[in-house]
Amino acid sequence: MSRFNEETLTNWTKPPSDTEETKLGNAERMVKDALNEDPVLSGKSTEVFGQGSYANDTNVRLNSDIDINVRYTGGFYFDLPDGKTREDFGLGSPIDYSITQYKDEVYAALVRKFGAASIRRKNKCITVLGNSYRVQTDVVPTWNYRRYDASGGFVLGAKLRADSGEDVINYPKQHIENGKRKNADTYRRFKRLTRIYRKMRYRMINDGLTVSDSITSFLLECLVWNVPNEIFVDYDSWQSRLKASIVHLYDHTKDENKCDEWGEVSELLYLFRGNRKWSKEAVKTFLVDAWVYLDY
């Protein structure tokens, strides 16, 4: 008999409360107000939107941090195909403004709005501490980022520069849209199964199992993204979907050729290629440990 019955897994598919969208909306509004009221940033072109588990509706922990992307849209960084120059695409000269300066200005705006005691500057974000009327919010200052193809077309992403100097590129809006589409195609089971994986990870840790720090909530969502829709649709219980998905993920991550083309949910970055914080070996270890933990 498995460790958790169908009723427990069904409960794990649910968000922690019915007010998740309200919390996200309140956090977005709070950050927008800080920018709009700021004497420096109010005159600059920005957009504010949610990203991460709240925005993707896969959150499983009550009052966990909300991630808000604050993207500068008055300029952009870019990546060009090999052999191409900025002149080939008519990009002109660089502007006299930087992503580092922008983060400094966002930090100053948040301090003006909420007070220095409520703000913590971190390597990749700026945290607005929670209190009795707001959830802790991680504000991520980014710039527009264009990835060009040879024809001159581009996909629009977001670039952040950590205080350590590391540059991070991601595509949060494409992630959100693709997740919605897969969720619709699987009768809303994609996000529910993602919540099961995330809840299972927390339970494993709480029960004393060692889970690699590289097995992040983001990675788990991307792994579930790469589970075929048939597993969501053809199986008639969460127990069977969870079991079949673990088998599929293990079978494919143990074979280099079966997961080399896997992407993040955005389908604009490879999941395992390049310098990632996780590895196939760490994923396989987690899947085996989860299988044993679940008494499968």
Side-chain angles (χ1 to χ4, degrees):
M1 178 179 289
S2 59
R3 180 183 291 262
F4 302 106
N5 59 29
E6 185 69 12
E7 181 181 3
T8 297
L9 295 183
T10 299
N11 286 334
W12 286 5
T13 68
K14 302 173 184 176
S17 77
D18 295 329
T19 60
E20 303 303 278
E21 277 193 32
T22 300
K23 291 177 185 175
L24 180 61
N26 289 343
E28 289 179 356
R29 190 159 44 252
M30 172 183 77
V31 176
K32 284 179 182 176
D33 288 345
L35 269 61
N36 291 336
E37 296 168 11
D38 186 75
V40 176
L41 289 176
S42 59
K44 292 183 178 176
S45 178
T46 61
E47 66 170 331
V48 177
F49 58 93
Q51 63 182 29
S53 61
Y54 270 90
N56 291 303
D57 195 25
T58 54
N59 185 45
V60 297
R61 302 187 81 176
L62 190 63
N63 292 330
S64 60
D65 295 0
I66 294 177
D67 295 323
I68 300 294
N69 194 315
V70 179
R71 186 156 65 178
Y72 178 67
T73 58
F76 56 88
Y77 288 84
F78 57 86
D79 181 59
L80 301 179
D82 291 342
K84 296 292 184 179
T85 66
R86 60 189 308 137
E87 289 75 19
D88 292 326
F89 297 114
L91 296 179
S93 302
I95 62 176
D96 187 23
Y97 189 50
S98 73
I99 194 169
T100 302
Q101 183 179 349
Y102 177 60
K103 182 175 181 180
D104 291 340
E105 291 173 355
V106 172
Y107 173 76
L110 294 172
V111 168
R112 286 189 189 101
K113 177 70 173 177
F114 303 106
S118 296
I119 304 299
R120 298 288 184 272
R121 180 165 179 150
K122 299 180 180 178
N123 188 37
K124 294 182 180 179
C125 69
I126 303 164
T127 298
V128 181
L129 300 179
N131 56 26
S132 59
Y133 58 88
R134 67 172 181 250
V135 176
Q136 182 161 303
T137 301
D138 287 338
V139 179
V140 186
T142 68
W143 268 49
N144 271 348
Y145 175 83
R146 295 182 179 183
R147 191 171 82 185
Y148 282 91
D149 59 36
S151 70
F154 63 86
V155 292
L156 185 64
K159 174 174 179 171
L160 73 85
R161 178 162 294 156
D163 288 345
S164 64
E166 176 191 4
D167 285 343
V168 179
I169 310 297
N170 54 38
Y171 301 89
K173 289 197 171 182
Q174 292 89 338
H175 182 122
I176 291 171
E177 291 307 310
N178 284 353
K180 288 179 179 177
R181 184 164 55 252
K182 188 176 179 84
N183 207 43
D185 292 343
T186 58
Y187 303 103
R188 298 193 300 169
R189 292 169 183 164
F190 163 59
K191 296 188 178 186
R192 292 173 179 177
L193 186 60
T194 298
R195 291 194 196 104
I196 288 179
Y197 270 80
R198 289 180 168 181
K199 191 75 173 180
M200 176 178 70
R201 172 182 171 272
Y202 285 125
R203 289 296 295 265
M204 290 168 67
I205 293 171
N206 290 341
D207 286 343
L209 276 73
T210 300
V211 176
S212 170
D213 290 341
S214 69
I215 306 299
T216 63
S217 293
F218 176 82
L219 173 60
L220 292 178
E221 184 176 0
C222 292
L223 290 172
V224 178
W225 164 259
N226 285 282
V227 172
N229 287 1
E230 290 76 17
I231 288 178
F232 297 91
V233 174
D234 293 347
Y235 290 85
D236 60 3
S237 69
W238 289 113
Q239 201 77 251
S240 58
R241 292 176 197 123
L242 178 59
K243 185 180 293 188
S245 65
I246 293 175
V247 170
H248 176 84
L249 292 171
Y250 180 79
D251 178 63
H252 282 67
T253 51
K254 75 177 182 181
D255 187 326
E256 187 78 22
N257 297 321
K258 287 186 175 181
C259 66
D260 196 47
E261 294 294 320
W262 280 7
E264 296 183 1
V265 179
S266 70
E267 285 298 344
L268 291 167
L269 293 168
Y270 287 109
L271 187 58
F272 290 113
R273 295 190 199 178
N275 185 25
R276 309 313 304 262
K277 69 174 67 175
W278 50 74
S279 67
K280 300 184 189 77
E281 286 302 319
V283 170
K284 285 189 293 183
T285 298
F286 172 75
L287 293 170
V288 170
D289 290 346
W291 185 270
V292 173
Y293 175 72
L294 293 167
D295 289 335
Y296 286 165

